[in-house]
PDB file of all heavy atoms in Angstrom:
ATOM      1  N   ALA A  10      10.935  40.690 -41.244  1.00 88.00           N
ATOM      2  CA  ALA A  10      10.269  41.976 -41.038  1.00 88.00           C
ATOM      3  C   ALA A  10      10.955  42.994 -41.927  1.00 88.00           C
ATOM      4  O   ALA A  10      12.132  42.847 -42.265  1.00 88.00           O
ATOM      5  CB  ALA A  10      10.353  42.387 -39.569  1.00 88.00           C
ATOM      6  N   ASP A  11      10.225  44.040 -42.306  1.00 84.00           N
ATOM      7  CA  ASP A  11      10.844  45.070 -43.125  1.00 84.00           C
ATOM      8  C   ASP A  11      10.636  46.443 -42.509  1.00 84.00           C
ATOM      9  O   ASP A  11       9.884  46.619 -41.541  1.00 84.00           O
ATOM     10  CB  ASP A  11      10.361  45.001 -44.573  1.00 84.00           C
ATOM     11  CG  ASP A  11       8.930  45.495 -44.762  1.00 84.00           C
ATOM     12  OD1 ASP A  11       8.274  45.863 -43.776  1.00 84.00           O
ATOM     13  OD2 ASP A  11       8.472  45.516 -45.916  1.00 84.00           O
ATOM     14  N   ILE A  12      11.319  47.436 -43.064  1.00 83.00           N
ATOM     15  CA  ILE A  12      11.314  48.773 -42.482  1.00 83.00           C
ATOM     16  C   ILE A  12       9.928  49.403 -42.510  1.00 83.00           C
ATOM     17  O   ILE A  12       9.600  50.265 -41.690  1.00 83.00           O
ATOM     18  CB  ILE A  12      12.340  49.672 -43.210  1.00 83.00           C
ATOM     19  CG1 ILE A  12      12.599  50.950 -42.405  1.00 83.00           C
ATOM     20  CG2 ILE A  12      11.896  49.976 -44.631  1.00 83.00           C
ATOM     21  CD1 ILE A  12      13.749  51.772 -42.937  1.00 83.00           C
ATOM     22  N   LEU A  32       2.251  46.428 -39.165  1.00 92.00           N
ATOM     23  CA  LEU A  32       2.219  47.275 -37.979  1.00 92.00           C
ATOM     24  C   LEU A  32       2.129  48.739 -38.388  1.00 92.00           C
ATOM     25  O   LEU A  32       2.494  49.114 -39.497  1.00 92.00           O
ATOM     26  CB  LEU A  32       3.473  47.032 -37.138  1.00 92.00           C
ATOM     27  CG  LEU A  32       3.689  45.576 -36.678  1.00 92.00           C
ATOM     28  CD1 LEU A  32       5.008  45.438 -35.919  1.00 92.00           C
ATOM     29  CD2 LEU A  32       2.523  45.102 -35.812  1.00 92.00           C
ATOM     30  N   THR A  34       3.881  51.207 -37.553  1.00 89.00           N
ATOM     31  CA  THR A  34       5.124  51.925 -37.315  1.00 89.00           C
ATOM     32  C   THR A  34       6.219  51.346 -38.200  1.00 89.00           C
ATOM     33  O   THR A  34       6.164  50.161 -38.556  1.00 89.00           O
ATOM     34  CB  THR A  34       5.549  51.812 -35.833  1.00 89.00           C
ATOM     35  OG1 THR A  34       6.740  52.568 -35.617  1.00 89.00           O
ATOM     36  CG2 THR A  34       5.810  50.363 -35.444  1.00 89.00           C
ATOM     37  N   ARG A  35       7.171  52.159 -38.567  1.00 88.00           N
ATOM     38  CA  ARG A  35       8.340  51.663 -39.277  1.00 88.00           C
ATOM     39  C   ARG A  35       9.229  50.919 -38.296  1.00 88.00           C
ATOM     40  O   ARG A  35       9.282  51.245 -37.108  1.00 88.00           O
ATOM     41  CB  ARG A  35       9.104  52.832 -39.918  1.00 88.00           C
ATOM     42  CG  ARG A  35       8.338  53.450 -41.080  1.00 88.00           C
ATOM     43  CD  ARG A  35       8.948  54.779 -41.500  1.00 88.00           C
ATOM     44  NE  ARG A  35      10.300  54.622 -42.035  1.00 88.00           N
ATOM     45  CZ  ARG A  35      10.570  54.310 -43.291  1.00 88.00           C
ATOM     46  NH1 ARG A  35       9.592  54.089 -44.145  1.00 88.00           N
ATOM     47  NH2 ARG A  35      11.819  54.215 -43.717  1.00 88.00           N
ATOM     48  N   LEU A  36       9.915  49.897 -38.788  1.00 87.00           N
ATOM     49  CA  LEU A  36      10.723  49.048 -37.922  1.00 87.00           C
ATOM     50  C   LEU A  36      12.212  49.287 -38.155  1.00 87.00           C
ATOM     51  O   LEU A  36      12.637  49.599 -39.273  1.00 87.00           O
ATOM     52  CB  LEU A  36      10.390  47.576 -38.167  1.00 87.00           C
ATOM     53  CG  LEU A  36       8.941  47.158 -37.900  1.00 87.00           C
ATOM     54  CD1 LEU A  36       8.758  45.677 -38.200  1.00 87.00           C
ATOM     55  CD2 LEU A  36       8.536  47.466 -36.463  1.00 87.00           C
ATOM     56  N   SER A  37      12.990  49.102 -37.091  1.00 84.00           N
ATOM     57  CA  SER A  37      14.434  49.307 -37.184  1.00 84.00           C
ATOM     58  C   SER A  37      15.229  48.093 -36.724  1.00 84.00           C
ATOM     59  O   SER A  37      16.407  47.968 -37.056  1.00 84.00           O
ATOM     60  CB  SER A  37      14.852  50.514 -36.337  1.00 84.00           C
ATOM     61  OG  SER A  37      14.527  50.312 -34.958  1.00 84.00           O
ATOM     62  N   GLY A  38      14.629  47.183 -35.958  1.00 83.00           N
ATOM     63  CA  GLY A  38      15.366  46.038 -35.429  1.00 83.00           C
ATOM     64  C   GLY A  38      14.494  44.817 -35.279  1.00 83.00           C
ATOM     65  O   GLY A  38      13.265  44.898 -35.166  1.00 83.00           O
ATOM     66  N   GLY A  39      15.139  43.640 -35.293  1.00 79.00           N
ATOM     67  CA  GLY A  39      14.440  42.375 -35.140  1.00 79.00           C
ATOM     68  C   GLY A  39      14.321  41.653 -36.474  1.00 79.00           C
ATOM     69  O   GLY A  39      14.898  42.080 -37.475  1.00 79.00           O
ATOM     70  N   PRO A  40      13.568  40.548 -36.461  1.00 89.00           N
ATOM     71  CA  PRO A  40      12.835  39.989 -35.322  1.00 89.00           C
ATOM     72  C   PRO A  40      13.686  39.055 -34.458  1.00 89.00           C
ATOM     73  O   PRO A  40      14.666  38.481 -34.924  1.00 89.00           O
ATOM     74  CB  PRO A  40      11.716  39.190 -36.018  1.00 89.00           C
ATOM     75  CG  PRO A  40      12.334  38.759 -37.315  1.00 89.00           C
ATOM     76  CD  PRO A  40      13.259  39.867 -37.729  1.00 89.00           C
ATOM     77  N   GLY A  41      13.306  38.951 -33.184  1.00 91.00           N
ATOM     78  CA  GLY A  41      13.878  37.985 -32.269  1.00 91.00           C
ATOM     79  C   GLY A  41      12.759  37.147 -31.683  1.00 91.00           C
ATOM     80  O   GLY A  41      11.599  37.593 -31.634  1.00 91.00           O
ATOM     81  N   LEU A  47       7.428  36.922 -30.769  1.00 95.00           N
ATOM     82  CA  LEU A  47       8.270  37.431 -31.844  1.00 95.00           C
ATOM     83  C   LEU A  47       8.416  38.923 -31.579  1.00 95.00           C
ATOM     84  O   LEU A  47       7.422  39.643 -31.488  1.00 95.00           O
ATOM     85  CB  LEU A  47       7.624  37.191 -33.212  1.00 95.00           C
ATOM     86  CG  LEU A  47       8.531  37.500 -34.395  1.00 95.00           C
ATOM     87  CD1 LEU A  47       9.622  36.424 -34.509  1.00 95.00           C
ATOM     88  CD2 LEU A  47       7.730  37.571 -35.686  1.00 95.00           C
ATOM     89  N   LEU A  48       9.663  39.394 -31.438  1.00 95.00           N
ATOM     90  CA  LEU A  48       9.929  40.761 -31.010  1.00 95.00           C
ATOM     91  C   LEU A  48      10.527  41.574 -32.144  1.00 95.00           C
ATOM     92  O   LEU A  48      11.482  41.148 -32.797  1.00 95.00           O
ATOM     93  CB  LEU A  48      10.883  40.757 -29.816  1.00 95.00           C
ATOM     94  CG  LEU A  48      10.291  40.095 -28.569  1.00 95.00           C
ATOM     95  CD1 LEU A  48      11.359  39.403 -27.761  1.00 95.00           C
ATOM     96  CD2 LEU A  48       9.569  41.126 -27.727  1.00 95.00           C
ATOM     97  N   VAL A  49       9.963  42.762 -32.367  1.00 94.00           N
ATOM     98  CA  VAL A  49      10.491  43.701 -33.349  1.00 94.00           C
ATOM     99  C   VAL A  49      10.568  45.069 -32.696  1.00 94.00           C
ATOM    100  O   VAL A  49       9.835  45.375 -31.753  1.00 94.00           O
ATOM    101  CB  VAL A  49       9.616  43.754 -34.623  1.00 94.00           C
ATOM    102  CG1 VAL A  49       9.685  42.442 -35.390  1.00 94.00           C
ATOM    103  CG2 VAL A  49       8.161  44.094 -34.281  1.00 94.00           C
ATOM    104  N   ALA A  50      11.458  45.906 -33.215  1.00 91.00           N
ATOM    105  CA  ALA A  50      11.649  47.231 -32.644  1.00 91.00           C
ATOM    106  C   ALA A  50      11.192  48.293 -33.618  1.00 91.00           C
ATOM    107  O   ALA A  50      11.559  48.276 -34.793  1.00 91.00           O
ATOM    108  CB  ALA A  50      13.117  47.447 -32.294  1.00 91.00           C
ATOM    109  N   GLY A  51      10.384  49.241 -33.128  1.00 88.00           N
ATOM    110  CA  GLY A  51       9.937  50.358 -33.939  1.00 88.00           C
ATOM    111  C   GLY A  51      10.938  51.489 -33.897  1.00 88.00           C
ATOM    112  O   GLY A  51      11.743  51.614 -32.967  1.00 88.00           O
ATOM    113  N   GLU A  52      10.887  52.349 -34.916  1.00 81.00           N
ATOM    114  CA  GLU A  52      11.850  53.441 -35.017  1.00 81.00           C
ATOM    115  C   GLU A  52      11.744  54.434 -33.872  1.00 81.00           C
ATOM    116  O   GLU A  52      12.717  55.059 -33.502  1.00 81.00           O
ATOM    117  CB  GLU A  52      11.666  54.169 -36.355  1.00 81.00           C
ATOM    118  CG  GLU A  52      12.320  53.458 -37.518  1.00 81.00           C
ATOM    119  CD  GLU A  52      12.340  54.315 -38.760  1.00 81.00           C
ATOM    120  OE1 GLU A  52      11.377  55.090 -38.955  1.00 81.00           O
ATOM    121  OE2 GLU A  52      13.296  54.209 -39.537  1.00 81.00           O
ATOM    122  N   LYS A  53      10.587  54.621 -33.310  1.00 84.00           N
ATOM    123  CA  LYS A  53      10.401  55.612 -32.249  1.00 84.00           C
ATOM    124  C   LYS A  53      10.564  54.979 -30.870  1.00 84.00           C
ATOM    125  O   LYS A  53       9.744  55.159 -29.972  1.00 84.00           O
ATOM    126  CB  LYS A  53       9.041  56.286 -32.384  1.00 84.00           C
ATOM    127  CG  LYS A  53       8.901  57.075 -33.679  1.00 84.00           C
ATOM    128  CD  LYS A  53       7.567  57.795 -33.777  1.00 84.00           C
ATOM    129  CE  LYS A  53       7.485  58.606 -35.059  1.00 84.00           C
ATOM    130  NZ  LYS A  53       6.179  59.307 -35.195  1.00 84.00           N
ATOM    131  N   ALA A  54      11.650  54.219 -30.699  1.00 89.00           N
ATOM    132  CA  ALA A  54      12.006  53.622 -29.410  1.00 89.00           C
ATOM    133  C   ALA A  54      10.880  52.782 -28.838  1.00 89.00           C
ATOM    134  O   ALA A  54      10.566  52.857 -27.646  1.00 89.00           O
ATOM    135  CB  ALA A  54      12.431  54.703 -28.410  1.00 89.00           C
ATOM    136  N   ARG A  55      10.270  51.949 -29.678  1.00 91.00           N
ATOM    137  CA  ARG A  55       9.215  51.054 -29.221  1.00 91.00           C
ATOM    138  C   ARG A  55       9.631  49.622 -29.461  1.00 91.00           C
ATOM    139  O   ARG A  55      10.170  49.270 -30.519  1.00 91.00           O
ATOM    140  CB  ARG A  55       7.908  51.325 -29.976  1.00 91.00           C
ATOM    141  CG  ARG A  55       7.313  52.677 -29.707  1.00 91.00           C
ATOM    142  CD  ARG A  55       6.689  52.756 -28.335  1.00 91.00           C
ATOM    143  NE  ARG A  55       5.419  52.034 -28.255  1.00 91.00           N
ATOM    144  CZ  ARG A  55       4.734  51.861 -27.123  1.00 91.00           C
ATOM    145  NH1 ARG A  55       5.229  52.315 -25.978  1.00 91.00           N
ATOM    146  NH2 ARG A  55       3.587  51.220 -27.123  1.00 91.00           N
ATOM    147  N   LEU A  56       9.395  48.757 -28.494  1.00 94.00           N
ATOM    148  CA  LEU A  56       9.596  47.323 -28.637  1.00 94.00           C
ATOM    149  C   LEU A  56       8.231  46.667 -28.659  1.00 94.00           C
ATOM    150  O   LEU A  56       7.411  46.895 -27.759  1.00 94.00           O
ATOM    151  CB  LEU A  56      10.440  46.768 -27.491  1.00 94.00           C
ATOM    152  CG  LEU A  56      10.798  45.277 -27.617  1.00 94.00           C
ATOM    153  CD1 LEU A  56      11.765  45.065 -28.782  1.00 94.00           C
ATOM    154  CD2 LEU A  56      11.417  44.761 -26.323  1.00 94.00           C
ATOM    155  N   ILE A  57       7.970  45.862 -29.681  1.00 95.00           N
ATOM    156  CA  ILE A  57       6.654  45.272 -29.883  1.00 95.00           C
ATOM    157  C   ILE A  57       6.782  43.759 -29.838  1.00 95.00           C
ATOM    158  O   ILE A  57       7.637  43.171 -30.510  1.00 95.00           O
ATOM    159  CB  ILE A  57       6.073  45.709 -31.246  1.00 95.00           C
ATOM    160  CG1 ILE A  57       5.984  47.235 -31.307  1.00 95.00           C
ATOM    161  CG2 ILE A  57       4.710  45.067 -31.484  1.00 95.00           C
ATOM    162  CD1 ILE A  57       5.778  47.774 -32.715  1.00 95.00           C
ATOM    163  N   ALA A  58       5.945  43.122 -29.036  1.00 96.00           N
ATOM    164  CA  ALA A  58       5.933  41.673 -28.908  1.00 96.00           C
ATOM    165  C   ALA A  58       4.682  41.124 -29.588  1.00 96.00           C
ATOM    166  O   ALA A  58       3.551  41.498 -29.246  1.00 96.00           O
ATOM    167  CB  ALA A  58       5.947  41.267 -27.436  1.00 96.00           C
ATOM    168  N   ILE A  72      11.380  51.800 -25.055  1.00 92.00           N
ATOM    169  CA  ILE A  72      12.738  51.466 -24.638  1.00 92.00           C
ATOM    170  C   ILE A  72      13.592  52.732 -24.676  1.00 92.00           C
ATOM    171  O   ILE A  72      13.109  53.811 -25.005  1.00 92.00           O
ATOM    172  CB  ILE A  72      13.346  50.350 -25.502  1.00 92.00           C
ATOM    173  CG1 ILE A  72      13.265  50.696 -26.998  1.00 92.00           C
ATOM    174  CG2 ILE A  72      12.618  49.031 -25.237  1.00 92.00           C
ATOM    175  CD1 ILE A  72      13.898  49.657 -27.910  1.00 92.00           C
ATOM    176  N   SER A  74      16.067  53.990 -26.499  1.00 83.00           N
ATOM    177  CA  SER A  74      16.252  54.728 -27.750  1.00 83.00           C
ATOM    178  C   SER A  74      16.033  53.757 -28.903  1.00 83.00           C
ATOM    179  O   SER A  74      15.650  52.600 -28.690  1.00 83.00           O
ATOM    180  CB  SER A  74      17.654  55.354 -27.817  1.00 83.00           C
ATOM    181  OG  SER A  74      18.648  54.358 -27.978  1.00 83.00           O
ATOM    182  N   GLU A  75      16.314  54.190 -30.099  1.00 83.00           N
ATOM    183  CA  GLU A  75      16.197  53.318 -31.254  1.00 83.00           C
ATOM    184  C   GLU A  75      17.162  52.140 -31.120  1.00 83.00           C
ATOM    185  O   GLU A  75      18.258  52.265 -30.579  1.00 83.00           O
ATOM    186  CB  GLU A  75      16.532  54.091 -32.534  1.00 83.00           C
ATOM    187  CG  GLU A  75      16.434  53.260 -33.805  1.00 83.00           C
ATOM    188  CD  GLU A  75      16.967  53.978 -35.023  1.00 83.00           C
ATOM    189  OE1 GLU A  75      17.666  55.006 -34.856  1.00 83.00           O
ATOM    190  OE2 GLU A  75      16.698  53.519 -36.135  1.00 83.00           O
ATOM    191  N   THR A  76      16.762  50.977 -31.634  1.00 83.00           N
ATOM    192  CA  THR A  76      17.654  49.837 -31.711  1.00 83.00           C
ATOM    193  C   THR A  76      17.626  49.274 -33.127  1.00 83.00           C
ATOM    194  O   THR A  76      16.569  49.233 -33.755  1.00 83.00           O
ATOM    195  CB  THR A  76      17.287  48.732 -30.711  1.00 83.00           C
ATOM    196  OG1 THR A  76      18.192  47.621 -30.873  1.00 83.00           O
ATOM    197  CG2 THR A  76      15.868  48.225 -30.899  1.00 83.00           C
ATOM    198  N   VAL A  77      18.792  48.896 -33.635  1.00 83.00           N
ATOM    199  CA  VAL A  77      18.872  48.236 -34.942  1.00 83.00           C
ATOM    200  C   VAL A  77      19.321  46.785 -34.768  1.00 83.00           C
ATOM    201  O   VAL A  77      19.578  46.090 -35.743  1.00 83.00           O
ATOM    202  CB  VAL A  77      19.832  48.984 -35.882  1.00 83.00           C
ATOM    203  CG1 VAL A  77      19.259  50.347 -36.222  1.00 83.00           C
ATOM    204  CG2 VAL A  77      21.220  49.128 -35.278  1.00 83.00           C
ATOM    205  N   ALA A  78      19.421  46.354 -33.513  1.00 86.00           N
ATOM    206  CA  ALA A  78      19.857  44.991 -33.206  1.00 86.00           C
ATOM    207  C   ALA A  78      18.642  44.081 -33.022  1.00 86.00           C
ATOM    208  O   ALA A  78      17.514  44.539 -32.824  1.00 86.00           O
ATOM    209  CB  ALA A  78      20.711  44.981 -31.947  1.00 86.00           C
ATOM    210  N   THR A  79      18.893  42.787 -33.061  1.00 90.00           N
ATOM    211  CA  THR A  79      17.845  41.808 -32.822  1.00 90.00           C
ATOM    212  C   THR A  79      17.638  41.618 -31.325  1.00 90.00           C
ATOM    213  O   THR A  79      18.591  41.318 -30.605  1.00 90.00           O
ATOM    214  CB  THR A  79      18.223  40.456 -33.453  1.00 90.00           C
ATOM    215  OG1 THR A  79      18.369  40.626 -34.865  1.00 90.00           O
ATOM    216  CG2 THR A  79      17.162  39.401 -33.174  1.00 90.00           C
ATOM    217  N   PRO A  80      16.416  41.786 -30.813  1.00 93.00           N
ATOM    218  CA  PRO A  80      16.163  41.489 -29.407  1.00 93.00           C
ATOM    219  C   PRO A  80      16.425  40.020 -29.108  1.00 93.00           C
ATOM    220  O   PRO A  80      16.219  39.150 -29.960  1.00 93.00           O
ATOM    221  CB  PRO A  80      14.674  41.834 -29.229  1.00 93.00           C
ATOM    222  CG  PRO A  80      14.351  42.743 -30.381  1.00 93.00           C
ATOM    223  CD  PRO A  80      15.222  42.295 -31.500  1.00 93.00           C
ATOM    224  N   VAL A  89      17.593  44.032 -24.982  1.00 94.00           N
ATOM    225  CA  VAL A  89      17.567  44.924 -26.128  1.00 94.00           C
ATOM    226  C   VAL A  89      18.746  45.882 -26.024  1.00 94.00           C
ATOM    227  O   VAL A  89      18.910  46.557 -25.000  1.00 94.00           O
ATOM    228  CB  VAL A  89      16.261  45.737 -26.193  1.00 94.00           C
ATOM    229  CG1 VAL A  89      16.229  46.584 -27.465  1.00 94.00           C
ATOM    230  CG2 VAL A  89      15.049  44.837 -26.136  1.00 94.00           C
ATOM    231  N   GLN A  90      19.561  45.944 -27.076  1.00 92.00           N
ATOM    232  CA  GLN A  90      20.701  46.854 -27.089  1.00 92.00           C
ATOM    233  C   GLN A  90      20.386  48.026 -28.006  1.00 92.00           C
ATOM    234  O   GLN A  90      20.037  47.842 -29.177  1.00 92.00           O
ATOM    235  CB  GLN A  90      21.965  46.134 -27.550  1.00 92.00           C
ATOM    236  CG  GLN A  90      23.222  46.955 -27.313  1.00 92.00           C
ATOM    237  CD  GLN A  90      24.445  46.081 -27.153  1.00 92.00           C
ATOM    238  OE1 GLN A  90      24.338  44.864 -27.017  1.00 92.00           O
ATOM    239  NE2 GLN A  90      25.601  46.700 -27.162  1.00 92.00           N
TER     240      GLN A  90
END
Side-chain angles (χ1 to χ4, degrees):
D11 73 358
I12 194 171
L32 302 177
T34 182
R35 290 167 65 84
L36 299 179
S37 61
L47 189 72
L48 296 147
V49 293
E52 280 190 326
K53 297 183 178 179
R55 295 286 286 174
L56 185 68
I57 302 165
I72 53 178
S74 70
E75 180 189 15
T76 178
V77 293
T79 299
V89 184
Q90 192 154 349

